[in-house]
Amino acid sequence: MSKKIFVSILLVIGLFLCGCSNKPKEFLEYQKSNFSSEATLEINSEKYSVSIEKTAEDTYKITFLSPENMKGVFVEKNGESIVYSVGSVSIPMESGTNLIADMTEVFNLTKENLVSEKDEMFNGVKVNTKRFDCDYGNAIVYLSLETMLPIRIEADIDGDLVIMSFSSFVISE
């Protein structure tokens, strides 16, 4: 069971730190700014509460808030540097060398990978749904038409379903 949790954590980490391309083209409005968000992260039906921060270009920190055994664990990406931290132990990882490297650019999706988009209703909210075909699989971003901020991101990452449902998403000034 602990191996499954560790693999799930790696999937989460990778989802945020890698993705469709190495450099964002900032064609999604929220890619232009720093942000903080809280989300429920679901990996193959296992749920985690996380906070996500973008503090500079290509700099992200994902902190687990729950369950209790994951509380305080975080993953930080700064450019090509990726660090997974548990307590006082930090494990450096190299982009492009493992599962994490295949999943970390979900916030950097590019127009070149866009395959379709349409306006529709999703859970009672008017959204613009953008579908992407990426090297690792595919991703769907649901942007609120009111704010143009993501309310949900779904990704099939090498056969594993990862869903982020945002309870808050705040752009920094």
Side-chain angles (χ1 to χ4, degrees), residues 114-143:
L114 182 67
V115 293
S116 69
E117 70 177 303
K118 68 178 177 178
D119 293 345
E120 60 185 336
M121 292 295 287
F122 179 80
N123 289 340
V125 177
K126 291 181 182 178
V127 296
N128 177 258
T129 303
K130 296 184 183 300
R131 297 179 184 275
F132 298 87
D133 187 11
C134 305
D135 293 338
Y136 61 77
N138 58 57
I140 304 169
V141 178
Y142 298 87
L143 298 169

Short mmCIF file of all heavy atoms in Angstrom, two decimals, residues 114-143:
data_model
loop_
_atom_site.label_atom_id
_atom_site.label_comp_id
_atom_site.label_asym_id
_atom_site.label_seq_id
_atom_site.Cartn_x
_atom_site.Cartn_y
_atom_site.Cartn_z
N LEU A 114 -3.26 22.22 -28.37
CA LEU A 114 -4.72 22.35 -28.28
C LEU A 114 -5.36 21.59 -29.44
O LEU A 114 -5.01 21.80 -30.59
CB LEU A 114 -5.10 23.83 -28.33
CG LEU A 114 -6.58 24.15 -28.21
CD1 LEU A 114 -7.11 23.81 -26.83
CD2 LEU A 114 -6.81 25.63 -28.53
N VAL A 115 -6.31 20.70 -29.12
CA VAL A 115 -7.00 19.96 -30.18
C VAL A 115 -8.44 20.40 -30.35
O VAL A 115 -9.02 20.26 -31.43
CB VAL A 115 -6.93 18.43 -29.99
CG1 VAL A 115 -5.51 17.94 -30.15
CG2 VAL A 115 -7.49 17.99 -28.65
N SER A 116 -9.04 20.95 -29.30
CA SER A 116 -10.41 21.46 -29.43
C SER A 116 -10.74 22.35 -28.24
O SER A 116 -10.09 22.28 -27.19
CB SER A 116 -11.43 20.32 -29.51
OG SER A 116 -11.53 19.64 -28.28
N GLU A 117 -11.75 23.18 -28.44
CA GLU A 117 -12.28 23.98 -27.33
C GLU A 117 -13.72 24.32 -27.63
O GLU A 117 -14.13 24.41 -28.79
CB GLU A 117 -11.45 25.24 -27.09
CG GLU A 117 -11.53 26.30 -28.15
CD GLU A 117 -10.72 27.54 -27.78
OE1 GLU A 117 -10.97 28.12 -26.71
OE2 GLU A 117 -9.86 27.91 -28.58
N LYS A 118 -14.49 24.43 -26.57
CA LYS A 118 -15.89 24.82 -26.73
C LYS A 118 -16.41 25.38 -25.42
O LYS A 118 -15.91 25.08 -24.34
CB LYS A 118 -16.75 23.65 -27.20
CG LYS A 118 -16.91 22.53 -26.19
CD LYS A 118 -17.81 21.44 -26.74
CE LYS A 118 -17.90 20.30 -25.74
NZ LYS A 118 -18.77 19.24 -26.19
N ASP A 119 -17.42 26.23 -25.54
CA ASP A 119 -18.11 26.76 -24.37
C ASP A 119 -19.25 25.81 -24.05
O ASP A 119 -19.96 25.34 -24.95
CB ASP A 119 -18.65 28.17 -24.66
CG ASP A 119 -17.53 29.19 -24.84
OD1 ASP A 119 -16.39 28.89 -24.47
OD2 ASP A 119 -17.82 30.29 -25.36
N GLU A 120 -19.40 25.52 -22.76
CA GLU A 120 -20.44 24.59 -22.33
C GLU A 120 -20.72 24.80 -20.84
O GLU A 120 -20.08 25.64 -20.20
CB GLU A 120 -20.03 23.14 -22.59
CG GLU A 120 -18.76 22.71 -21.87
CD GLU A 120 -18.30 21.31 -22.25
OE1 GLU A 120 -19.12 20.50 -22.70
OE2 GLU A 120 -17.10 21.03 -22.09
N MET A 121 -21.64 24.04 -20.30
CA MET A 121 -21.92 24.05 -18.87
C MET A 121 -21.21 22.86 -18.24
O MET A 121 -21.20 21.76 -18.80
CB MET A 121 -23.43 23.94 -18.61
CG MET A 121 -24.23 25.15 -19.05
SD MET A 121 -23.83 26.65 -18.13
CE MET A 121 -24.57 26.33 -16.55
N PHE A 122 -20.58 23.10 -17.08
CA PHE A 122 -19.94 22.02 -16.33
C PHE A 122 -20.28 22.23 -14.87
O PHE A 122 -19.92 23.25 -14.27
CB PHE A 122 -18.41 22.04 -16.54
CG PHE A 122 -17.71 20.96 -15.77
CD1 PHE A 122 -17.68 19.66 -16.25
CD2 PHE A 122 -17.08 21.24 -14.56
CE1 PHE A 122 -17.05 18.66 -15.54
CE2 PHE A 122 -16.45 20.24 -13.84
CZ PHE A 122 -16.43 18.95 -14.34
N ASN A 123 -21.01 21.28 -14.29
CA ASN A 123 -21.43 21.37 -12.88
C ASN A 123 -22.10 22.70 -12.57
O ASN A 123 -21.83 23.32 -11.54
CB ASN A 123 -20.25 21.13 -11.93
CG ASN A 123 -19.79 19.69 -11.92
OD1 ASN A 123 -20.52 18.79 -12.31
ND2 ASN A 123 -18.57 19.47 -11.48
N GLY A 124 -22.94 23.17 -13.48
CA GLY A 124 -23.69 24.40 -13.27
C GLY A 124 -22.91 25.68 -13.52
O GLY A 124 -23.39 26.77 -13.23
N VAL A 125 -21.70 25.58 -14.05
CA VAL A 125 -20.85 26.74 -14.32
C VAL A 125 -20.61 26.82 -15.82
O VAL A 125 -20.31 25.81 -16.46
CB VAL A 125 -19.50 26.62 -13.57
CG1 VAL A 125 -18.59 27.80 -13.89
CG2 VAL A 125 -19.73 26.52 -12.07
N LYS A 126 -20.71 28.03 -16.39
CA LYS A 126 -20.38 28.21 -17.80
C LYS A 126 -18.86 28.18 -17.92
O LYS A 126 -18.16 28.95 -17.25
CB LYS A 126 -20.91 29.55 -18.32
CG LYS A 126 -22.42 29.60 -18.40
CD LYS A 126 -22.87 30.94 -18.93
CE LYS A 126 -24.39 30.99 -18.95
NZ LYS A 126 -24.89 32.28 -19.43
N VAL A 127 -18.35 27.26 -18.75
CA VAL A 127 -16.91 27.08 -18.89
C VAL A 127 -16.50 27.07 -20.36
O VAL A 127 -17.30 26.82 -21.24
CB VAL A 127 -16.42 25.77 -18.22
CG1 VAL A 127 -16.65 25.78 -16.73
CG2 VAL A 127 -17.05 24.55 -18.88
N ASN A 128 -15.22 27.35 -20.56
CA ASN A 128 -14.57 27.11 -21.84
C ASN A 128 -13.71 25.87 -21.60
O ASN A 128 -12.81 25.89 -20.77
CB ASN A 128 -13.71 28.30 -22.27
CG ASN A 128 -12.98 28.02 -23.56
OD1 ASN A 128 -11.80 27.73 -23.54
ND2 ASN A 128 -13.69 28.10 -24.68
N THR A 129 -14.03 24.80 -22.30
CA THR A 129 -13.32 23.54 -22.15
C THR A 129 -12.28 23.42 -23.25
O THR A 129 -12.60 23.48 -24.43
CB THR A 129 -14.30 22.35 -22.23
OG1 THR A 129 -15.30 22.52 -21.23
CG2 THR A 129 -13.59 21.03 -22.02
N LYS A 130 -11.02 23.29 -22.85
CA LYS A 130 -9.92 23.15 -23.80
C LYS A 130 -9.32 21.76 -23.65
O LYS A 130 -8.97 21.35 -22.55
CB LYS A 130 -8.84 24.20 -23.53
CG LYS A 130 -9.33 25.63 -23.74
CD LYS A 130 -8.20 26.63 -23.57
CE LYS A 130 -8.66 28.06 -23.71
NZ LYS A 130 -9.23 28.42 -24.98
N ARG A 131 -9.20 21.05 -24.77
CA ARG A 131 -8.63 19.71 -24.79
C ARG A 131 -7.25 19.76 -25.45
O ARG A 131 -7.09 20.38 -26.50
CB ARG A 131 -9.53 18.74 -25.54
CG ARG A 131 -10.87 18.57 -24.87
CD ARG A 131 -11.79 17.62 -25.64
NE ARG A 131 -13.09 17.57 -25.01
CZ ARG A 131 -13.42 16.79 -23.99
NH1 ARG A 131 -12.52 15.95 -23.51
NH2 ARG A 131 -14.63 16.84 -23.47
N PHE A 132 -6.29 19.09 -24.80
CA PHE A 132 -4.91 19.09 -25.28
C PHE A 132 -4.44 17.66 -25.50
O PHE A 132 -4.79 16.76 -24.73
CB PHE A 132 -3.99 19.75 -24.24
CG PHE A 132 -4.31 21.18 -23.98
CD1 PHE A 132 -5.26 21.53 -23.03
CD2 PHE A 132 -3.67 22.18 -24.67
CE1 PHE A 132 -5.57 22.86 -22.77
CE2 PHE A 132 -3.96 23.52 -24.43
CZ PHE A 132 -4.92 23.86 -23.48
N ASP A 133 -3.63 17.46 -26.51
CA ASP A 133 -2.96 16.19 -26.76
C ASP A 133 -1.48 16.43 -26.52
O ASP A 133 -0.85 17.23 -27.21
CB ASP A 133 -3.21 15.72 -28.19
CG ASP A 133 -2.68 14.32 -28.45
OD1 ASP A 133 -2.32 13.63 -27.48
OD2 ASP A 133 -2.62 13.92 -29.62
N CYS A 134 -0.93 15.75 -25.51
CA CYS A 134 0.45 16.00 -25.08
C CYS A 134 1.27 14.72 -25.21
O CYS A 134 0.74 13.65 -25.41
CB CYS A 134 0.46 16.45 -23.62
SG CYS A 134 -0.58 17.89 -23.32
N ASP A 135 2.56 14.85 -25.03
CA ASP A 135 3.45 13.69 -25.09
C ASP A 135 3.07 12.63 -24.07
O ASP A 135 3.15 11.44 -24.34
CB ASP A 135 4.91 14.12 -24.86
CG ASP A 135 5.45 14.99 -25.97
OD1 ASP A 135 4.90 14.94 -27.09
OD2 ASP A 135 6.42 15.72 -25.72
N TYR A 136 2.65 13.04 -22.88
CA TYR A 136 2.35 12.10 -21.81
C TYR A 136 0.96 11.50 -21.91
O TYR A 136 0.65 10.52 -21.26
CB TYR A 136 2.52 12.74 -20.43
CG TYR A 136 1.61 13.93 -20.19
CD1 TYR A 136 0.27 13.76 -19.90
CD2 TYR A 136 2.11 15.21 -20.25
CE1 TYR A 136 -0.56 14.84 -19.68
CE2 TYR A 136 1.30 16.29 -20.02
CZ TYR A 136 -0.04 16.11 -19.74
OH TYR A 136 -0.85 17.18 -19.52
N GLY A 137 0.07 12.09 -22.68
CA GLY A 137 -1.32 11.65 -22.79
C GLY A 137 -2.17 12.82 -23.23
O GLY A 137 -1.88 13.46 -24.23
N ASN A 138 -3.21 13.11 -22.47
CA ASN A 138 -4.04 14.25 -22.82
C ASN A 138 -4.48 14.98 -21.56
O ASN A 138 -4.37 14.46 -20.46
CB ASN A 138 -5.25 13.82 -23.66
CG ASN A 138 -6.10 12.80 -22.94
OD1 ASN A 138 -6.57 13.05 -21.85
ND2 ASN A 138 -6.31 11.65 -23.54
N ALA A 139 -4.96 16.21 -21.77
CA ALA A 139 -5.42 17.03 -20.65
C ALA A 139 -6.64 17.82 -21.08
O ALA A 139 -6.78 18.18 -22.25
CB ALA A 139 -4.30 17.98 -20.20
N ILE A 140 -7.50 18.06 -20.14
CA ILE A 140 -8.69 18.90 -20.35
C ILE A 140 -8.68 19.96 -19.26
O ILE A 140 -8.57 19.65 -18.08
CB ILE A 140 -9.99 18.09 -20.25
CG1 ILE A 140 -9.97 16.92 -21.24
CG2 ILE A 140 -11.19 18.99 -20.52
CD1 ILE A 140 -11.10 15.92 -21.03
N VAL A 141 -8.78 21.22 -19.67
CA VAL A 141 -8.82 22.34 -18.74
C VAL A 141 -10.20 22.98 -18.84
O VAL A 141 -10.64 23.34 -19.93
CB VAL A 141 -7.73 23.38 -19.03
CG1 VAL A 141 -7.82 24.55 -18.07
CG2 VAL A 141 -6.34 22.74 -18.98
N TYR A 142 -10.87 23.12 -17.71
CA TYR A 142 -12.17 23.77 -17.63
C TYR A 142 -11.95 25.16 -17.06
O TYR A 142 -11.61 25.31 -15.88
CB TYR A 142 -13.13 22.99 -16.73
CG TYR A 142 -13.42 21.59 -17.21
CD1 TYR A 142 -12.58 20.52 -16.87
CD2 TYR A 142 -14.52 21.32 -18.02
CE1 TYR A 142 -12.84 19.23 -17.31
CE2 TYR A 142 -14.78 20.03 -18.46
CZ TYR A 142 -13.94 19.00 -18.10
OH TYR A 142 -14.20 17.72 -18.55
N LEU A 143 -12.10 26.19 -17.90
CA LEU A 143 -11.92 27.57 -17.46
C LEU A 143 -13.27 28.22 -17.25
O LEU A 143 -14.14 28.18 -18.13
CB LEU A 143 -11.16 28.37 -18.54
CG LEU A 143 -9.76 27.90 -18.88
CD1 LEU A 143 -9.26 28.60 -20.13
CD2 LEU A 143 -8.83 28.17 -17.72
#
